[in-house]
Amino acid sequence: LTRIERGVGGPGVQLCKRTNTLVSHLRNRRLTGLQLTASLNSTRKTLVSTSTVKREVYSQFLKEMIIQPGIAKANLGLSREDVTMEDHPLNPNPDSKWNNYFRDNEVLLQIDKDVRRLYPDMAFFQRPTDYPCQLILDPQNDYETLRRRVEQTTLKAQTVDRSRSGVTNVSSPGKALNLYPSNEYEVLPSGCEAHWEVVERILFIYAKLNPGIAYVQGMNEVVGPIYYTFATDPNDEWKEHAEADTFFCFTNLMSENRDMFIKSLDDSQCGITYKMESVYSMLKEKDMELYMKLQEQNIKPQYFTFRWLTLLLSQEFLLPDVIRIWDTLFSDQDRFEFLILVCCAMLVLIRDQLLAGDFTVNMRLLQDYPISDVHTILAKAKELQDAS
């Protein structure tokens, strides 16, 4: 290189400069790699610190929100709130703590009904968790489980019939109508709690902290996959704190998705009606023939996309496939726009069946989607996205 540089000035100098540039580039890449490693270490420390704080905050939520008015918590430093003339269970005042307690029970009963049937084809949510909440189950304190609160809230009645011959028959209509789901699953031993009970607690605390939206049926289907992911993590630390971590992940997700659960916003641009119509608008752009077919048969997007969008497809596929879809959704910067593309891809992939079917056949297809290979669906959605 030196000989060339001396003998032929131009090319030798250029080659030398290129070599120096390459060396400089490699040095910069090495520095960038070191900076990235330092950044990742810093990010991990920040994550651990943030997670610790969040978990402590969640413990405070448990202490403040899963208690009965009037129960002493002397060992936790809380004062006793006895029933008084000013505030008692029959107090009609909207600001009464007892009144709030009974309103919370109405929400809790709906949550309890929904979480008990969460993914019924899987035994996971009925199994006991390896890390039950000691704050709730510790016999040393006065906290009660939400399960016991539901059992105490549900009214039990018996019907007494006396025949002409004097024979008395006593029956429990509630049991016959399955009004009391507390006996639906085998009762776990003292000190244990099922995974569905953890999910119930997460949703109850979310409803308490967000009274504007509270609890809407279907939220259990959204929180379920998040909790399952944390609770089955091979890392015991993440598994131990699955409840708190799930709560904050669910809260963050709902901060982006909550408008679809608020009825008063249904017809706004951020509401569910607009999102459902967006699926058809996308389909009209990508496949006019299929769009016209659905229009001719008067198959409205509300008939099937409402569930697809609000529940993020969690009821259309098996749980492992739902997690795979969510992995792609959440990694996309415009995740809810990509969800519309996924819904559109699901329609395009069964276009031949939809074009050949009548109203009844097509409604059955859309409400019980026939394709189970989610990779095919995601690939089609990406193809539609790239073609936009």
Side-chain angles (χ1 to χ4, degrees), residues 41-308:
N41 289 336
S42 176
T43 302
R44 177 172 175 77
K45 291 179 181 178
T46 303
L47 176 62
V48 171
S49 175
T50 302
S51 298
T52 301
V53 172
K54 294 287 188 181
R55 291 162 184 169
E56 291 175 355
V57 170
Y58 187 77
S59 294
Q60 290 299 317
F61 290 159
L62 291 177
K63 294 176 184 178
E64 294 173 9
M65 297 175 194
I66 305 187
I67 59 174
Q68 283 182 318
I71 295 182
K73 297 294 186 296
N75 60 324
L76 294 176
L78 301 178
S79 60
R80 181 178 178 87
E81 299 171 356
D82 290 321
V83 175
T84 63
M85 291 297 294
E86 291 76 20
D87 195 11
H88 50 81
L90 300 181
N91 189 352
N93 189 337
D95 297 329
S96 165
K97 292 182 179 180
W98 282 98
N99 203 342
N100 291 332
Y101 176 75
F102 294 134
R103 280 201 307 267
D104 290 343
N105 279 352
E106 295 178 9
V107 175
L108 176 58
L109 287 174
Q110 182 61 57
I111 295 174
D112 186 82
K113 179 181 177 182
D114 291 343
V115 296
R116 287 175 183 270
R117 59 190 183 198
L118 185 62
Y119 287 97
D121 55 332
M122 293 179 58
F124 170 79
F125 287 97
Q126 283 74 55
R127 290 174 180 165
T129 172
D130 295 333
Y131 298 97
C133 182
Q134 296 304 319
L135 182 64
I136 298 293
L137 299 180
D138 188 353
Q140 301 265 329
N141 61 47
D142 295 327
Y143 279 95
E144 64 173 0
T145 63
L146 293 182
R147 184 202 300 181
R148 190 178 306 130
R149 181 166 170 177
V150 169
E151 292 171 350
Q152 292 174 352
T153 300
T154 306
L155 295 177
K156 294 179 173 59
Q158 290 183 321
T159 301
V160 179
D161 293 324
R162 187 182 297 275
S163 64
R164 291 183 179 180
S165 60
V167 178
T168 301
N169 294 320
V170 180
S171 61
S172 300
K175 184 176 182 180
L177 297 174
N178 195 27
L179 297 178
Y180 316 122
S182 59
N183 296 324
E184 185 175 351
Y185 301 119
E186 182 181 354
V187 177
L188 297 175
S190 177
C192 297
E193 59 180 356
H195 288 289
W196 66 261
E197 294 183 87
V198 181
V199 175
E200 179 177 71
R201 200 156 51 233
I202 293 169
L203 289 169
F204 180 71
I205 291 178
Y206 178 83
K208 287 279 292 177
L209 291 172
N210 298 271
I213 183 173
Y215 172 77
V216 179
Q217 193 170 20
M219 287 182 179
N220 58 309
E221 303 290 347
V222 177
V223 75
I226 301 175
Y227 174 75
Y228 176 84
T229 302
F230 280 113
T232 57
D233 195 286
N235 186 321
D236 288 339
E237 180 185 357
W238 293 106
K239 188 185 297 186
E240 180 181 0
H241 299 286
E243 180 176 353
D245 295 344
T246 299
F247 172 81
F248 285 104
C249 286
F250 174 70
T251 301
N252 288 340
L253 177 59
M254 287 302 298
S255 68
E256 300 182 36
N257 197 37
R258 61 179 294 168
D259 291 348
M260 291 201 289
F261 287 89
I262 301 177
K263 188 174 180 59
S264 60
L265 297 177
D266 280 357
D267 297 324
S268 67
Q269 191 168 356
C270 57
I272 184 60
T273 302
Y274 177 82
K275 299 293 184 184
M276 291 188 293
E277 292 173 351
S278 296
V279 175
Y280 265 27
S281 298
M282 179 70 68
L283 180 63
K284 183 178 180 181
E285 177 187 337
K286 303 296 182 182
D287 193 331
M288 176 62 77
E289 183 182 5
L290 179 56
Y291 169 78
M292 292 304 299
K293 176 71 174 181
L294 296 178
Q295 291 283 33
E296 288 170 8
Q297 294 184 344
N298 198 30
I299 298 179
K300 301 182 183 299
Q302 293 91 324
Y303 296 165
F304 60 97
T305 59
F306 179 85
R307 188 176 70 184
W308 289 8

Side-chain angles (χ1 to χ4, degrees), residues 280 294 299-300 303-305 307-308 316 346-347 350 354 359-370:
Y280 265 27
L294 296 178
I299 298 179
K300 301 182 183 299
Y303 296 165
F304 60 97
T305 59
R307 188 176 70 184
W308 289 8
E316 313 311 312
M346 290 170 66
L347 295 173
I350 58 171
L354 291 172
F359 177 86
T360 303
V361 171
N362 288 345
M363 282 302 301
R364 191 179 298 117
L365 280 172
L366 294 170
Q367 293 181 348
D368 186 13
Y369 192 73

